[in-house]
Amino acid sequence: MSDFSDSTPEIRWYIAHTYAGYENKVKANLEKIIENRSLQNVITDVKIPVRIITEEPKEDAVSAADEAKAEDESDITAESDKKKEPKIIEEKIFPSYVFVKMIMNDETWHVVRNIRGVTGFVGPGSRPVPLTDEEVANIGELEEQTVINLSYKVGDSVKITAGFLKDAVGKVAEISDDKKKIMVIASMFGRDMPVELGSDEVTLLEG
């Protein structure tokens, strides 16, 4: 372990490496130690950077058997009109890493390093290296990004779920880079026409 007695007592962000799957446990245990030992003035924040991923739902096909069992068509229509909510997932941007904002000294080094699941700090040899201001800013930008995982791709058949073309069927012709807008070729006025829609305004038709 390096001697930190000659270092400037400055609060900086450092990165602790953990075993795979231990990130949340390390964060929870470290926060508990900080509270129990009143270390809030030297270890001020613990983070696991995550991004939000939105997975668009797939359209459930109504089978012939289900239709036969239905008492009337209104039940089927009411069921088909129910729009599924997109699935929201948190994804770790840097798996196996926990970010700690702290004053690095012998005491705080031992506190973090001795938590079960921590294998060490990021840095050459045994001396942790703090993140630069630019690196901290870049991580913040990554956290603010929302990733959209669509259930469909170009060429897939989709059902439009909103707007004046609701319930119409078309094919995906184009998907924007940010996956927020799509172009669908749908039948209007007796001909195929391109329609720009929000990516959440269609669902994939399976089968």
Side-chain angles (χ1 to χ4, degrees):
M1 168 61 193
S2 299
D3 181 14
F4 294 102
S5 59
D6 60 345
S7 61
T8 303
E10 183 180 0
I11 295 178
R12 303 286 296 275
W13 280 102
Y14 295 85
I15 306 175
H17 182 265
T18 74
Y19 292 118
Y22 273 75
E23 303 93 340
N24 292 336
K25 293 179 182 178
V26 167
K27 181 177 184 292
N29 288 337
L30 179 53
E31 288 173 338
K32 186 179 296 185
I33 291 173
I34 292 169
E35 181 178 357
N36 292 342
R37 296 173 58 175
S38 299
L39 297 173
Q40 293 89 343
N41 61 325
V42 288
I43 304 178
T44 62
D45 200 359
V46 184
K47 292 184 67 174
I48 301 173
V50 297
R51 63 161 61 94
I52 303 301
I53 296 180
T54 301
E55 290 190 349
E56 296 299 328
K58 295 182 179 180
E59 178 77 3
D60 288 334
V62 179
S63 67
D66 290 335
E67 291 184 10
K69 291 179 181 179
E71 293 183 359
D72 54 61
E73 292 184 359
S74 61
D75 292 337
I76 299 175
T77 303
E79 185 67 26
S80 63
D81 284 342
K82 292 180 181 178
K83 184 178 180 181
K84 289 187 176 181
E85 294 296 324
K87 185 178 181 181
I88 307 298
I89 301 172
E90 280 192 351
E91 179 186 71
K92 293 180 178 66
I93 301 175
F94 305 103
S96 298
Y97 291 100
V98 174
F99 290 66
V100 186
K101 193 174 186 180
M102 59 191 286
I103 293 175
M104 182 61 70
N105 55 38
D106 289 338
E107 179 188 13
T108 57
W109 185 93
H110 280 287
V111 167
V112 177
R113 181 63 184 85
N114 290 333
I115 290 178
R116 183 182 179 187
V118 173
T119 64
F121 281 94
V122 173
S126 60
R127 193 170 187 87
V129 174
L131 294 174
T132 65
D133 292 340
E134 183 179 2
E135 289 170 333
V136 173
N138 288 340
I139 292 170
E141 290 178 3
L142 287 174
E143 285 188 290
E144 292 175 0
Q145 294 177 0
T146 298
V147 179
I148 301 176
N149 281 351
L150 302 178
S151 60
Y152 50 82
K153 60 185 182 299
V154 172
D156 282 345
S157 295
V158 293
K159 177 181 177 182
I160 299 173
T161 59
F164 73 97
L165 284 176
K166 183 179 179 182
D167 295 330
V169 173
K171 283 197 174 184
V172 179
E174 186 178 333
I175 300 175
S176 65
D177 291 339
D178 61 7
K179 298 183 180 180
K180 293 182 179 180
K181 293 287 185 182
I182 65 170
M183 189 72 71
V184 174
I185 304 299
S187 179
M188 290 191 303
F189 314 118
R191 65 174 64 186
D192 289 339
M193 300 283 288
V195 183
E196 186 179 74
L197 299 165
S199 59
D200 60 345
E201 294 180 322
V202 302
T203 54
L204 176 67
L205 287 178
E206 296 181 315

